[in-house]
């Protein structure tokens, strides 16, 4: 060996030397000679025997008495069988049993408290060790750079590279894939050997839990760069990966005794799905988030807020599961439990099965997790019984069963909020806090009762909130964020969309973005110009043009040809696409257009499906999704996943909440804005082997529009400034100026409303009081002022609910007005809308239509492209103006200039009262955060009940609603679409 080659070898072990030296000097590891490694058993026999005999001498004496001279051989024989059958993780956690009733623990994990000193001593007796250049195989002399052991059992292997020699962690990954075959090698065998394998250089780390030669998939195990992207930040006088082996100011070392044993005992888990086993090792952001939350909660106790902004692809369900199980075992410095119960709540009305299953999989003690799949009565019982972990939907807290739960204020709760959105400032969130803090009161003073109601809205000393979302809205930040250096709320922990993209956990859906513009030339085909509302007629004209067969046929041609030319071959010919349309009717017409175009051209490689809810009448025929596709709605996800169908056409259904990793392209023919744009396009971001490119063709939005929608959520979501809570008084003053609300009537209302459970006479009395204000509202001749009052009333209710949860208010007048306003809003009559007409071929002719490509290229956001969210600073809506009546010719001219947009249209105006009544905070957020097919049943039930109440004085209409199921269903589905539009197209800065 030449002097030069010897020098190269020396340089290649720089990182290895440094890592091992730190583990030995600072983390309490023993460095063991690789000669002590048993290649057949894949363990350190001597160290394992030492640990067992020193910590469990009585059990070893039993073994020796039973097996005499063969005791050691029997021990290792049974251990080898256990490792093969159960795996290293289970052996570490559950130990080893031998006949007759001899039990050995092979690792002692940190007890939840120090109340039992024996358990603490056993935990401290664990032996962490490290070996270098471990020759592990009987087939060859391959050596692993570093192997970590716990009590002689191998738990991790590391291949290390030195950047100064031109080798990176990617070379280490390649070495595992090409020169570390697990076949016949106990140390490298999945489950049986080391639990995790790391590839590292001085700057980056990746890891895998399963070696499969060339199919091995490594995941980044980096902290994230200082700038918010992938990689690791610089550390003074250290390698960037020092967090593996060195305690830093912001956290303990990953391989340090406390964190490493916690990972082995509380984080790693074996998941079994459909006969397949997966060993899950926490990614760095999951480990860091959970660890930081535990440290903070241990120091500060209950009554805190934690906002976790983790991108899609971050493994949120696992993070929630780990957090829940560790919170129930968390003790303070006095060895007292910090939380009695953990409650995991979700906005989805159908409890997330994946979340349920994930949390349950982490359960190591039977009966800890209680899943509330039934009624709120079941939830009430779980709370009263002191269940440790409860998983439920937030809506169950708003029912009458929970109103009986009292005396919970002395118990401490951790509330984990899945997909935290603004519903956490709504009525269900208030009911949740109320159920967990309410105390029975003997006071008869109405002011005391109202003050108690108001107090229960604000921050509670016995409740901590842990809120998880990838896309926090302004109200989410203000409700759950922690103050940053600038005083503005920010996430407690961040794993950004940018970092997730750069690390390859999700794809950048904006990488290939192409926009098209549709040009219409319309001609008026009637002599007279009917007078009608301008904006609404313009939308009718837009709808007429967008549904015209010529318009759809040209877009269909673009879609099919683009898919066949650019997308179809992806994923070995298994790529899928989604067409996002404006309405159910658009979706069905697109389907027929695609079907006819495919048949006309004889294409055999493209077939389409359509997704829409309920029945849809089109051109005199009634259709359902099942009739069009030829199989049931529940079959669609499975059939679309197969090889027969390539394109799925949707309106609202499946636009969000649909997880199909084979989606490689999206064709957008509807206006998208804000959070809806992010959630819709994110259907494309799922990764799978072979998928590295996505395509978006957009007929409605510009690249600039889409970038603006993504910018608040690309890096850390921030607020421009906090909302001014004093705006609640400004709203109150504006409402008073209308002369509709009488303060004395509000006081009389409160004295009855807050006295306790309301009976029928109470409700009649309250409605009579409120109808006094309704009469004053109806006497207002200015329709614009009527509409302004209506919208301000709604804004006051929503903003008060939000502010009362952020700030501890001590003004019972606001609480009284809030309760009164809720009744008044429901009883206000409909606003009068000018009559509408249907635009038909007799009225308009589409003379020309063409689709022209406008923009093409990358819409991807670059580092630093971010936009803070605006605070809540706009209230109400614009009332009618004088110029809202135009002639049809003026409408056509305006439409041609703007090239048209399409929104849902108002029909069945009698039912607007029902929509307004049922669209409270809970229903609004339920509809915002759930796929339409999931939320429709709850909406339909509320709408039907509201319609019955509305038509109590109208026997004819009531009869129709009750007896004609088809007519009822048509009406309900129409207003469901209206409600979705109102909920999802709102500006986040507007209340």
């Amino acid at each position: 060996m030449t002097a030069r080659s010897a020098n190269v070898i020396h340089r290649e072990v720089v990182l290895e030397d440094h890592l091992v030296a730190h583990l030995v000097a600072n983390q309490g590891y023993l460095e063991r000679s690789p000669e002590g490694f048993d290649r057949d058993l894949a363990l350190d026999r001597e160290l394992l025997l030492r640990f067992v005999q020193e910590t469990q001498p009585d059990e070893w004496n039993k073994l020796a008495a039973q097996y005499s001279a063969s005791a050691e051989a029997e021990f290792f024989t049974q251990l080898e069988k256990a490792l093969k059958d159960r795996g290293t993780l289970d052996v570490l956690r559950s130990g080893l049993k031998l006949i007759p009733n001899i039990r050995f623990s092979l690792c002692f994990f940190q007890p939840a408290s120090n109340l039992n000193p024996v358990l603490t001593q056993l935990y401290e007796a664990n032996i962490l060790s490290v070996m270098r250049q471990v020759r592990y195989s009987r087939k060859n002399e391959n050596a692993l750079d570093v192997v970590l052991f716990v009590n002689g059992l191998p738990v991790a292997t590391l291949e290390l590279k030195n950047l100064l020699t031109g080798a990176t962690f990617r070379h280490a990954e390649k070495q595992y894939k090409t020169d570390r075959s697990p076949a016949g090698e106990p140390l490298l065998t999945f489950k049986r050997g080391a639990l995790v394998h790391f590839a590292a250089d001085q700057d980056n780390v990746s890891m895998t839990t399963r070696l499969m030669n060339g199919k091995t998939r490594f995941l980044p195990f980096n902290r994230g760069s200082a700038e918010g992207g992938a990689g690791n930040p610089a550390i003074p006088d250290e390698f960037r990966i020092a967090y593996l082996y060195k305690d830093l100011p912001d956290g303990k070392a990953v391989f340090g005794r406390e964190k490493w044993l916690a990972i082995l005992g509380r984080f790693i888990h074996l998941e079994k799905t459909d006969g397949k086993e997966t060993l899950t090792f926490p990614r760095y952001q999951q480990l860091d988030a959970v660890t930081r939350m535990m440290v903070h909660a241990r120091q500060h106790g209950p009554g805190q807020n934690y906002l976790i902004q983790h991108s899609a692809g971050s493994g949120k369900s696992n993070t929630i599961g780990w957090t829940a199980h560790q919170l129930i075992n968390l003790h303070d410095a006095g060895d007292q439990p910090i939380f009695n119960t953990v409650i995991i709540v979700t906005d989805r009305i159908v409890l997330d099965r994946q979340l349920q299953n994930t949390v349950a999989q982490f359960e190591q003690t039977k009966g800890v997790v209680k899943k509330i799949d039934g009624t709120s009565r079941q939830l009430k019982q779980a709370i009263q019984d002191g269940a440790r972990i409860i998983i439920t939907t937030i809506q169950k807290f708003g029912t009458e069963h929970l109103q009986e739960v009292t005396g919970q204020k002395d118990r401490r709760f951790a509330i984990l909020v899945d997909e935290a959105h603004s519903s956490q400032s709504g009525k269900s969130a208030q009911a949740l806090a109320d159920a967990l803090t309410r105390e029975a009161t003997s006071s008869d003073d109405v002011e005391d009762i109202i003050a108690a109601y108001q107090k229960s809205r604000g921050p509670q000393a016995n409740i901590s909130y842990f809120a998880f979302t990838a896309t926090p809205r302004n109200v989410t930040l203000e409700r759950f964020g922690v103050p940053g250096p600038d005083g503005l709320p920010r996430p407690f922990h961040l794993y950004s969309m940018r970092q997730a993209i750069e690390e390859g956990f999700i794809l950048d859906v904006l990488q290939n973005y192409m926009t098209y513009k549709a040009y219409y030339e319309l001609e008026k085909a009637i002599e007279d110009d009917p007078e009608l509302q301008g904006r609404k007629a313009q939308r009718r004209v837009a709808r007429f043009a967008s549904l015209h067969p010529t318009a759809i046929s040209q877009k269909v041609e673009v879609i099919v040809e683009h898919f066949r030319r650019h997308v179809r071959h992806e994923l070995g010919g298994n790529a899928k696409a989604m067409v996002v349309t404006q309405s159910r009717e658009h979706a069905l017409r697109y389907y027929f257009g695609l079907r006819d175009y495919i048949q006309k051209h004889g294409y055999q490689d493209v077939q389409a499906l359509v997704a829409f809810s309920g029945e849809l009448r089109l051109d005199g025929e009634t259709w359902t999704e099942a009739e069009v596709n030829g199989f049931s709605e529940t079959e669609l996800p499975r059939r679309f996943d197969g090889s027969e169908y390539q394109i799925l056409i949707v309106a609202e259904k499946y636009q969000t909440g649909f997880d199909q990793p084979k989606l490689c392209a999206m064709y957008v023919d509807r206006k998208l804005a804000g959070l809806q744009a992010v959630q819709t396009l994110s259907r494309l971001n799922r990764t799978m082997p072979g998928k590295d490119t996505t395509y978006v063709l957009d007929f409605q939005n510009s690249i600039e529009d889409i970038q603006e929608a993504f910018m608040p959520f690309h890096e850390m979501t921030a607020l421009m400034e906090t909302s001014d809570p004093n705006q609640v008084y400004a709203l109150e003053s504006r409402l008073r100026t209308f002369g509709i609300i009488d303060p004395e009537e509000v006081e009389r209302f409160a004295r009855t409303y807050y006295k306790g459970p309301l009976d029928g006479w109470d409700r009649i009395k309250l409605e009579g009081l409120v109808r006094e204000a309704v009469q004053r509202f109806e006497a207002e001749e200015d329709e614009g002022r009527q509409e302004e009052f209506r919208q301000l009333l709604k804004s006051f209710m929503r903003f008060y609910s939000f502010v009362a949860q952020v700030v501890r208010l001590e003004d019972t007048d606001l609480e009284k007005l809030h309760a009164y306003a809720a009744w008044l809003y429901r009883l206000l009559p409909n606003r009068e809308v000018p009559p509408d007409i249907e635009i038909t071929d007799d009225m308009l002719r589409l003379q020309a239509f063409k689709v022209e490509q406008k923009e093409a290229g990358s819409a991807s956001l670059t580092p630093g492209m971010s936009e803070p969210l605006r605070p809540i600073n706009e209230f109400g809506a614009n009332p009618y103006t004088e110029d809202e009546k135009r002639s049809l010719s003026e409408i056509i001219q305006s439409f041609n200039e703007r090239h048209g947009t399409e929104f849902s249209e108002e029909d069945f105006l009698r039912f607007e009262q029902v929509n307004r009544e049922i669209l409270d905070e809970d229903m609004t957020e339920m509809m915002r955060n759930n796929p339409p097919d999931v939320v429709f049943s709850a909406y339909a039930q509320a709408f039907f009940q509201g319609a019955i109440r509305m038509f109590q004085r109208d026997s004819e209409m009531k009869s129709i609603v009750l007896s004609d199921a088809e007519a009822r269903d048509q009406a309900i589905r129409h207003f469901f679409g209206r409600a979705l539009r109102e909920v999802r197209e709102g500006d986040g800065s507007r209340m």
Side-chain angles (χ1 to χ4, degrees):
M1 182 180 294
T2 66
R4 182 176 183 277
S5 62
N7 185 47
V8 169
I9 292 175
H10 175 72
R11 288 169 58 196
E12 286 178 345
V13 298
V14 167
L15 180 55
E16 180 183 317
D17 289 340
H18 188 68
L19 180 144
V20 172
H22 265 284
L23 292 180
V24 173
N26 302 316
Q27 302 299 343
Y29 278 68
L30 294 178
E31 183 173 6
R32 301 278 293 168
S33 168
E35 301 302 321
F37 182 77
D38 187 315
R39 301 192 192 192
D40 294 322
L41 294 177
L43 48 79
D44 185 337
R45 290 174 61 107
E46 179 185 341
L47 199 61
L48 178 55
L49 283 175
R50 171 180 154 186
F51 168 76
V52 170
Q53 292 171 351
E54 289 182 354
T55 60
Q56 298 152 87
D58 293 343
E59 295 301 297
W60 188 263
N61 290 337
K62 288 183 186 178
L63 184 72
Q66 178 72 23
Y67 295 99
S68 188
S70 63
E72 184 176 318
E74 183 65 18
F75 175 82
F76 282 108
T77 297
Q78 297 305 320
L79 176 60
E80 184 178 18
K81 289 181 180 179
L83 290 170
K84 285 182 178 179
D85 295 341
R86 293 156 45 206
T88 300
L89 183 64
D90 190 63
V91 168
L92 282 169
R93 289 179 175 173
S94 304
L96 181 66
K97 297 179 184 179
L98 293 89
I99 296 295
N101 195 27
I102 302 171
R103 299 167 181 262
F104 290 104
S105 294
L106 298 183
C107 185
F108 295 104
F109 296 102
Q110 187 172 22
S113 70
N114 295 315
L115 295 176
N116 188 334
V118 173
L119 295 180
T120 302
Q121 291 172 6
L122 289 172
Y123 167 70
E124 293 172 349
N126 288 309
I127 305 171
L128 275 62
S129 62
V130 57
M131 285 185 187
R132 301 171 57 179
Q133 297 302 313
V134 177
R135 300 189 186 280
Y136 59 87
S137 178
R138 287 295 186 190
K139 304 174 186 177
N140 54 56
E141 290 302 301
N142 282 352
L144 287 156
D145 290 339
V146 174
V147 179
L148 305 183
F149 297 81
V150 171
N151 303 323
L153 292 172
V155 288
T157 74
L158 294 90
E159 288 290 357
L160 307 174
K161 300 301 174 186
N162 191 341
L163 294 171
L164 296 177
T165 67
T168 72
F169 76 103
R170 296 297 187 195
H171 292 91
E173 291 179 355
K174 183 177 180 182
Q175 193 170 10
Y176 272 117
K177 293 177 180 180
T178 60
D179 199 29
R180 298 288 182 265
S181 174
E185 305 293 358
L187 179 61
L188 304 182
T189 298
F190 176 68
K191 279 179 48 178
R192 161 63 179 86
L195 300 172
V196 62
H197 310 277
F198 291 96
D201 56 34
Q202 291 96 324
D203 286 351
N204 292 282
V205 186
S206 61
M207 59 87 178
T208 186
T209 58
R210 189 167 200 160
L211 296 175
M212 297 184 291
N213 300 316
K215 295 182 179 179
T216 303
R217 185 189 180 200
F218 279 88
L219 301 176
F221 194 72
N222 291 327
R223 304 167 73 196
S225 69
E227 297 77 28
N232 287 301
I235 302 173
D237 303 319
E238 256 296 355
F239 298 135
R240 290 176 184 261
I241 67 164
Y243 57 91
L244 291 181
Y245 51 82
K246 184 176 182 178
D247 293 339
L248 300 173
D250 60 350
K252 299 280 189 179
V254 172
F255 295 153
R257 170 181 290 269
E258 180 179 342
K259 186 172 286 187
W260 191 232
L261 289 175
I263 292 172
L264 298 175
R266 302 174 189 164
F267 282 92
I268 303 177
H269 76 101
L270 186 68
E271 181 178 350
K272 299 179 181 181
T273 306
D274 299 330
K276 297 180 180 179
E277 293 184 322
T278 303
L279 195 63
T280 299
F281 190 92
R283 282 143 51 174
Y284 186 83
Q285 79 275 2
Q286 297 172 312
L287 176 65
D288 192 54
V290 175
T291 302
R292 287 176 185 270
M293 285 187 281
M294 297 307 115
V295 170
H296 191 276
R298 184 181 292 114
Q299 292 176 348
H300 299 278
Q304 310 298 316
N305 287 334
Y306 304 86
L307 176 59
I308 310 302
Q309 183 184 348
H310 279 196
S311 168
S314 65
K316 175 171 59 67
S317 294
N318 282 346
T319 307
I320 290 175
W322 284 316
T323 302
H325 283 280
Q326 295 192 32
L327 283 172
I328 61 169
N329 293 309
L330 195 63
H331 286 65
D332 60 21
D335 286 325
Q336 295 300 310
I338 294 174
F339 298 105
N340 304 113
T341 297
V342 173
I343 301 178
I344 303 173
V345 297
T346 174
D347 276 335
R348 295 185 180 275
I349 61 171
V350 176
L351 195 57
D352 191 320
R353 301 294 175 187
Q354 179 188 356
L355 181 61
Q356 278 194 61
N357 295 335
T358 300
V359 175
Q361 282 173 2
F362 293 137
E363 184 178 35
Q364 296 183 26
T365 303
K366 192 69 174 175
V368 168
V369 179
K370 183 69 174 177
K371 295 174 283 189
I372 309 300
D373 290 319
T375 66
S376 58
R377 191 182 300 276
Q378 183 187 7
L379 173 60
K380 171 190 170 185
Q381 193 63 48
I383 293 174
Q384 291 182 329
D385 292 347
R388 302 304 309 280
I389 297 177
I390 299 171
I391 312 176
T392 183
T393 59
I394 194 171
Q395 287 75 25
K396 286 189 171 64
F397 281 94
T399 62
E400 59 184 15
H401 297 308
L402 284 175
Q403 293 176 9
E404 305 167 20
V405 179
T406 59
Q408 303 296 321
K409 193 173 181 63
D410 292 334
R411 296 179 61 201
R412 297 170 301 281
F413 297 89
I415 309 298
L416 277 60
V417 185
D418 178 29
E419 287 304 331
H421 291 290
S422 61
S423 64
Q424 299 306 316
S425 62
K427 288 200 302 184
S428 288
Q430 170 59 30
L432 183 154
D434 202 26
L436 304 182
T437 58
R438 183 190 294 114
E439 290 184 312
T441 177
S442 58
S443 175
D444 293 327
D445 189 316
V446 70
E447 288 295 326
D448 290 343
I449 297 172
I450 296 172
Y453 264 87
Q454 189 171 57
K455 183 179 178 181
S456 70
R457 293 182 184 274
Q460 303 298 321
N462 69 322
I463 301 177
S464 284
Y465 287 92
F466 300 78
F468 297 79
T469 182
T471 51
R473 302 175 66 206
N474 48 10
V475 290
T476 316
L477 274 171
E478 295 200 52
R479 175 72 178 86
F480 299 114
V482 296
D486 55 3
L488 296 175
R490 60 174 54 198
F492 178 83
H493 196 273
L494 173 69
Y495 179 68
S496 68
M497 181 188 298
R498 173 188 165 189
Q499 185 177 347
I501 290 171
E502 291 182 6
E503 291 187 339
F505 285 126
I506 60 174
L507 295 175
D508 179 7
V509 299
L510 306 183
Q511 58 183 302
N512 292 304
Y513 212 98
M514 186 180 299
T515 64
Y516 282 77
K517 199 68 176 178
Y519 293 95
Y520 304 80
E521 185 177 337
L522 296 166
E523 179 186 65
K524 182 165 62 71
I526 55 177
E527 292 296 327
D528 298 326
D529 281 355
E531 291 277 319
L532 43 88
Q533 184 190 352
R535 184 171 53 186
K536 308 187 88 55
Q538 183 170 338
R539 292 173 182 171
R540 276 295 188 191
V541 174
R543 181 179 180 84
F544 169 84
S546 66
L547 285 170
H548 198 281
T550 301
I552 288 181
S553 66
Q554 290 195 26
K555 292 177 184 177
V556 161
E557 179 179 1
V558 172
I559 291 169
V560 173
E561 297 303 332
H562 178 274
F563 180 81
R564 296 186 70 248
R565 186 174 299 115
H566 299 286
V567 183
R568 182 72 178 91
H569 64 278
E570 299 282 349
L571 301 179
N574 291 313
K576 309 287 184 182
M578 178 179 282
V579 181
V580 179
T581 67
Q582 304 169 25
S583 68
R584 294 192 308 151
E585 182 179 351
H586 283 85
L588 189 52
R589 291 195 183 277
Y590 256 104
Y591 171 80
F592 290 137
L594 261 78
R595 182 198 62 184
D596 295 344
Y597 184 86
I598 290 167
Q599 291 176 352
K600 177 182 177 181
H601 290 79
Y603 293 149
Q604 302 297 317
D605 57 351
V606 183
Q607 295 296 325
L609 294 172
V610 64
F612 62 91
S613 300
E615 293 183 345
L616 180 60
R617 192 160 183 82
L618 192 69
D619 299 334
E621 292 189 62
T622 301
W623 300 91
T624 66
E625 177 187 308
E627 289 171 340
V628 176
N629 293 328
F631 48 80
S632 69
E633 292 186 37
T634 56
E635 273 283 289
L636 189 144
R638 185 185 68 83
R639 298 290 288 267
F640 185 55
D641 186 59
S643 59
E644 186 177 357
Y645 301 100
Q646 292 73 39
I647 299 177
L648 176 62
I649 306 164
V650 305
E652 290 285 355
K653 191 176 182 181
Y654 293 128
Q655 186 179 329
T656 60
F658 180 57
D659 189 4
Q660 172 49 265
K662 295 177 186 176
L663 280 177
C664 294
M666 184 173 285
Y667 303 94
V668 181
D669 194 17
R670 70 170 297 163
K671 275 289 184 183
L672 297 174
L675 190 55
Q676 186 193 41
V678 177
Q679 292 177 335
T680 299
L681 293 171
S682 292
R683 297 307 99 210
L684 286 176
N685 69 15
R686 305 302 191 266
T687 60
M688 66 178 300
K691 179 181 174 183
D692 52 20
T693 303
T694 62
Y695 304 87
V696 179
L697 265 67
D698 196 326
F699 297 101
Q700 294 277 352
N701 309 281
S702 68
I703 285 179
E704 184 180 3
D705 293 337
I706 298 301
Q707 287 179 325
E708 287 180 0
F710 272 77
M711 280 196 287
F713 311 108
H714 184 231
E715 298 178 336
M716 184 181 73
T717 302
L719 268 179
M720 192 177 298
E721 59 182 335
T722 56
S723 303
D724 181 5
N726 288 296
Q727 292 178 110
V728 73
Y729 287 115
L731 284 168
E732 180 192 30
S733 297
R734 289 174 66 184
L735 285 172
R736 303 284 190 193
T737 62
F738 285 83
I740 294 172
I741 296 176
D742 184 334
E744 175 58 29
E745 291 172 359
V746 175
E747 288 292 330
R748 289 161 57 197
F749 179 94
R751 284 196 291 271
T752 299
Y753 180 79
Y754 287 102
K755 73 171 189 178
L758 301 176
D759 57 29
W761 289 108
D762 290 330
R763 294 182 181 277
I764 293 173
K765 180 179 178 182
L766 291 174
E767 183 171 331
L769 270 173
V770 175
R771 288 205 177 276
E772 296 291 326
V774 173
Q775 291 178 11
R776 292 190 287 270
F777 175 87
E778 292 175 327
E780 171 62 60
E781 296 181 356
D782 187 335
E783 293 182 6
R785 278 179 59 81
Q786 280 188 334
E787 185 60 23
E788 184 181 0
F789 176 83
R790 188 197 312 275
Q791 296 299 331
L792 284 174
L793 194 66
K794 184 176 182 180
S795 294
F796 170 81
M797 291 188 296
R798 297 182 65 187
F799 192 65
Y800 174 77
S801 294
F802 162 68
V803 171
Q805 289 202 341
V806 177
V807 180
R808 183 62 65 88
L809 295 173
E810 297 180 2
D811 185 343
T812 56
D813 287 341
L814 289 174
E815 180 69 25
K816 297 172 190 175
L817 181 59
H818 179 265
Y820 176 87
W823 279 60
L824 175 57
Y825 186 80
R826 287 195 295 268
L827 293 176
L828 289 179
N830 295 319
R831 70 175 185 176
E832 299 228 351
V833 179
D836 202 0
I837 62 170
E838 182 70 29
I839 306 297
T840 66
D841 289 332
D842 294 333
M843 301 169 64
L844 292 175
R845 293 193 185 97
L846 184 64
Q847 289 187 310
F849 179 93
K850 68 175 180 177
V851 177
E852 182 178 286
Q853 181 181 326
K854 299 295 290 183
E855 306 164 291
S858 173
S860 300
L861 302 183
T862 56
M865 286 185 70
S866 61
E867 184 72 29
L869 296 172
R870 291 184 295 164
I872 302 167
N873 54 21
E874 296 181 24
F875 302 95
N878 295 324
Y880 282 114
T881 60
E882 289 297 324
D883 64 350
E884 284 188 325
K885 288 188 176 183
R886 301 178 183 174
S887 68
L888 183 57
S889 58
E890 290 173 331
I891 293 165
I892 295 172
Q893 179 181 356
S894 173
F895 172 68
N896 281 327
E897 291 172 355
R898 296 170 59 86
H899 308 304
T901 55
E902 202 284 0
F903 296 94
S904 299
E905 192 53 69
E906 290 182 348
D907 290 315
F908 307 97
L909 294 180
R910 299 174 64 87
F911 290 99
E912 288 295 343
Q913 175 88 10
V914 181
N915 243 7
R916 188 162 59 251
E917 176 182 344
I918 67 176
L919 280 180
D920 57 15
E921 291 108 327
D922 296 337
M923 183 64 74
T924 295
E925 294 309 318
M926 197 187 304
M927 295 175 71
R928 179 178 286 118
N929 299 318
N930 287 276
D933 56 314
V934 172
V935 76
F936 176 76
S937 60
Y939 173 89
Q941 182 180 5
F943 189 96
F944 184 41
Q945 294 171 349
I948 293 174
R949 289 193 298 270
M950 176 182 173
F951 297 127
Q952 286 177 345
R953 293 177 299 276
D954 188 337
S955 59
E956 180 182 1
M957 183 63 77
K958 180 180 178 181
S959 175
I960 294 173
V961 169
L962 291 174
S963 62
D964 191 335
E966 181 179 356
R968 180 172 70 242
D969 185 66
Q970 289 176 345
I972 290 174
R973 291 192 181 281
H974 170 78
F975 287 100
F976 176 62
R978 289 263 302 138
L980 277 175
R981 181 169 68 84
E982 178 177 340
V983 166
R984 296 187 173 186
E985 292 183 2
D987 183 348
S989 65
R990 181 181 295 276
M991 274 287 182

